């Protein structure tokens, strides 16, 4: 969809609070809330320049895969269809962002992920993929495989819980025709690079490589990190051999000669025993939830651009960022994005009429019912933080609410 047309407007009759999680030329992933029952969901849509017939086939494969297996970290298809030629798939998932955004927050965080928590995160992804591998894909009569694993394959909700998507058709890393999107960084076994077919062992290797990609954000002060840094101690002999086994028998081994996955899983458990670690999934959720909560508190500077016109509000189409008065881009949290988009919608429809504090509360935190004073305070703090990045003259305050200045011009940027 190049611009939201009639089909997209009709989709908005089904969903409210629509915010982009990831938008590419082939596929668009948005978080939303069903109008019918208020339940949160993730909706897959065609991208900006996608061929709709190919997207339709991709969505059919996603729907098929959803019927083949179940796992608590793999969202099921709840609804799918086609409106005026525009296909869509609704996932039963309350995710609000993906792994790329979480890693950006990790890079800015003061504390690294506790090792036990990072281990639990990776292991849970491996288990979800393993459950898919155990299913029979009717298209090939072989295992249902993911092939390539990217940060875009992992979605997160506001509580820090995570989900794996891409089964049936790996839409987070592929174009609508099934080819790999070179713009999306991903991890995969060597045989896939030379045209080999995905397999359960290749999926396992992809998870190991994915683990390495996020290792810089984990606390590696323990025994495993010490060995990887070459700081060996006499008691490390068996642990070192186990780590070398993973390298030689899985990551660096030829596809036909890799060790069985069950043996690799047993080796991972032995590494935990020797290192004195344990899996802590709750700890990882707590860590990610903290990142998201801090990101919601105030806009974050993300890069420098040329100064904008003082009368112009410049932002991404999904309000993921907004340009301050000095030309700096600032990344916005979900509530800030919803509030700003609500102000823009009112400016377009009735520029002289402000939105009340309660209008903005409903826009920023749909479905929540805070106490009167607490709700009003949320809005005051959120709007104040937006105004403080240099938009004070463009967002006007009135006794009963806020509005964009009538003289303001809104300019959407594609990137």
């Amino acid at each position: 969809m190049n611009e939201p047309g009639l089909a997209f407007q009709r989709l908005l009759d089904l969903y409210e609070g629509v915010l982009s999680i990831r938008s590419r030329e082939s596929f668009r992933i948005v978080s939303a809330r069903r109008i019918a029952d208020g339940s949160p969901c993730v909706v897959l849509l065609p991208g900006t320049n996608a061929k709709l017939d190919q997207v339709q086939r991709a969505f059919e494969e996603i729907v098929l895969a959803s019927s083949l297996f179940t796992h608590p970290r793999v969202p099921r298809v709840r609804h799918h269809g086609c409106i005026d030629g525009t296909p869509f798939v609704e996932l039963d998932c309350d995710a609000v962002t993906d792994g790329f955004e979480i890693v950006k927050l990790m890079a800015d965080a003061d504390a690294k992920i506790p090792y036990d928590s990072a281990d639990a995160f990776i292991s849970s992804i491996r288990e979800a993929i393993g459950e898919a591998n155990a299913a029979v894909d009717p298209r090939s009569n072989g295992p249902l495989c993911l092939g390539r694993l990217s940060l875009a394959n992992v979605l997160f909700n506001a509580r820090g819980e995570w989900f794996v998507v891409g089964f049936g058709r790996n839409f987070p890393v592929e174009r609508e025709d099934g080819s790999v999107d070179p713009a999306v960084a991903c991890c995969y076994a060597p045989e896939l690079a030379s045209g080999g077919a995905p397999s359960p062992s290749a999926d396992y290797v992809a998870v190991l490589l994915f683990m390495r990609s996020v290792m810089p954000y984990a606390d590696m002060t323990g025994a495993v990190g010490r060995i990887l840094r070459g700081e060996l101690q006499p008691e490390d002999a068996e642990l070192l051999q186990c780590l070398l086994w993973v390298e030689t028998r899985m990551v660096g081994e030829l596809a036909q000669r890799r060790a069985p996955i069950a043996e690799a899983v047993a080796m991972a458990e032995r590494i935990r025993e020797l290192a004195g670690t344990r899996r802590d999934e709750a700890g990882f959720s707590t860590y990610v939830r903290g990142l998201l909560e801090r990101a919601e508190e105030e806009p974050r500077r993300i890069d420098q651009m040329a100064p904008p016109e003082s009368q112009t509000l410049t932002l991404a189409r999904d309000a993921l960022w907004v340009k301050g008065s000095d030309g700096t881009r600032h990344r916005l949290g979900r509530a800030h994005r919803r509030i700003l988009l609500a102000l823009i919608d009112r400016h377009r429809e009735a520029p002289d009429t402000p939105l009340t504090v309660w209008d903005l509360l409903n826009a920023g935190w749909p479905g929540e019912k805070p106490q009167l004073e607490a709700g009003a305070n949320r809005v005051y703090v959120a709007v104040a933080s937006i105004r403080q990045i240099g938009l004070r003259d463009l967002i006007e305050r009135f006794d009963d609410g806020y509005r964009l200045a009538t003289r303001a011009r809104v300019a959407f940027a594609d990137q």
Side-chain angles (χ1 to χ4, degrees):
M1 296 176 295
N2 296 320
E3 290 290 338
L6 176 60
F8 188 65
Q9 292 303 316
R10 288 185 59 190
L11 283 172
L12 294 182
D13 292 336
L14 301 176
Y15 305 103
E16 63 182 354
V18 176
L19 285 178
S20 178
I21 292 178
R22 184 66 50 186
S23 183
R24 298 163 41 235
E25 290 189 355
S26 298
F27 299 102
R28 184 181 181 195
I29 311 171
V30 303
S31 65
R33 189 175 295 272
R34 294 187 72 187
I35 293 176
D37 57 13
S39 59
C41 59
V42 167
V43 183
L44 312 181
L45 299 165
T48 53
N49 293 309
K51 296 179 180 179
L52 296 184
D53 59 334
Q54 294 180 348
V55 171
Q56 176 66 42
R57 287 194 291 272
F59 285 176
E60 290 171 356
E61 294 181 329
I62 292 170
V63 172
L64 172 63
S66 180
S67 69
L68 299 178
F69 76 104
T70 60
H71 189 276
R73 296 206 179 275
V74 179
R76 293 185 62 80
V77 172
R78 181 163 59 182
H79 185 47
H80 62 95
C82 194
I83 294 180
D84 293 342
T86 299
F88 70 97
V89 171
E90 178 191 314
L91 301 180
D92 187 9
C93 178
D94 60 350
V96 296
T97 191
D98 67 8
F100 279 115
E101 291 303 313
I102 294 299
V103 163
K104 290 176 184 177
L105 298 179
M106 289 177 179
D108 293 337
D110 295 330
K112 291 195 172 185
I113 316 165
Y115 182 89
D116 290 354
S117 300
D119 181 27
F121 171 59
I122 297 299
S123 297
S124 70
I125 292 176
R126 189 266 305 163
E127 289 172 350
I129 294 175
E131 196 69 27
N133 293 161
V136 176
D137 187 343
R139 298 168 300 177
S140 64
N141 289 322
L144 179 64
C145 298
L146 190 65
R148 291 171 170 81
L149 179 60
S150 164
L151 289 165
N153 285 100
V154 189
L155 305 181
F156 293 83
N157 64 21
R159 297 183 301 281
E161 298 165 340
W162 60 99
F163 309 90
V164 185
V165 297
F167 299 102
R169 175 64 71 88
N170 203 341
F171 64 90
V173 304
E174 293 178 356
R175 295 168 169 155
E176 71 269 30
D177 62 2
S179 62
V180 178
D181 188 338
V184 182
C186 57
C187 302
Y188 49 91
E191 62 265 29
L192 269 69
S194 58
S199 67
S201 73
D203 279 2
Y204 194 95
V205 170
V207 173
L208 293 175
L209 297 176
F210 180 82
M211 174 186 67
R212 292 183 178 181
S213 73
V214 298
M215 193 178 292
Y217 311 105
D219 180 357
M220 301 297 294
T221 56
V224 172
R226 186 181 69 248
I227 291 174
L228 294 177
R229 292 190 297 273
E231 302 167 3
L232 299 177
Q233 297 182 6
E235 63 270 23
D236 292 334
E238 184 180 355
L239 181 54
L240 172 60
Q241 289 304 312
C242 291
L243 294 173
L244 289 174
W245 185 95
V246 174
E247 185 66 30
T248 58
R249 297 291 287 120
M250 298 302 295
V251 177
E253 185 59 278
L254 294 174
Q256 304 91 325
R257 298 173 56 182
R258 287 188 191 119
I261 291 176
E263 191 174 340
V265 171
M267 184 60 70
E269 187 56 41
R270 181 57 180 161
I271 289 172
R272 289 188 194 96
E273 293 174 2
L274 294 170
T277 64
R278 60 181 180 83
R279 292 171 50 171
D280 182 13
E281 292 193 8
F284 190 77
S285 291
T286 299
Y287 178 84
V288 173
R289 183 171 65 248
L291 295 178
L292 292 170
E293 288 174 349
R294 286 190 291 275
E296 284 293 293
E297 291 175 359
E298 60 182 15
R300 296 182 297 120
R301 174 175 176 152
I302 56 176
D303 68 8
Q304 185 72 33
M305 298 179 66
E309 300 175 18
S310 60
Q311 308 290 312
T312 301
L313 175 64
T314 303
L315 69 164
R317 289 193 176 276
D318 54 9
L320 187 62
W321 58 260
V322 64
K323 189 184 294 186
S325 60
D326 62 352
T328 299
R329 286 185 180 183
H330 297 265
R331 190 174 300 278
L332 299 179
R334 295 186 306 283
H336 297 91
R337 292 159 67 186
R338 292 188 178 106
I339 286 172
L340 192 55
L341 289 171
L343 289 169
I344 291 171
D345 287 343
R346 175 56 60 89
H347 182 265
R348 183 186 302 116
E349 297 166 358
D352 294 325
T353 306
L355 286 173
T356 69
V357 169
W358 316 119
D359 291 331
L360 294 177
L361 179 65
N362 289 329
W365 297 270
E368 297 189 26
K369 304 293 183 183
Q371 293 184 349
L372 187 66
E373 183 176 351
N377 188 59
R378 276 188 183 182
V379 174
Y380 297 145
V381 171
V383 176
S385 66
I386 298 174
R387 298 179 81 204
Q388 285 171 359
I389 65 175
L391 304 179
R392 189 173 300 278
D393 292 338
L394 291 180
I395 300 178
E396 300 176 338
R397 181 171 180 176
F398 291 81
D399 290 339
D400 59 345
Y402 298 86
R403 75 177 186 189
L404 289 187
T406 54
R407 67 182 185 282
R409 185 175 71 88
V410 178
F412 288 105
D414 290 328
Q415 298 184 8

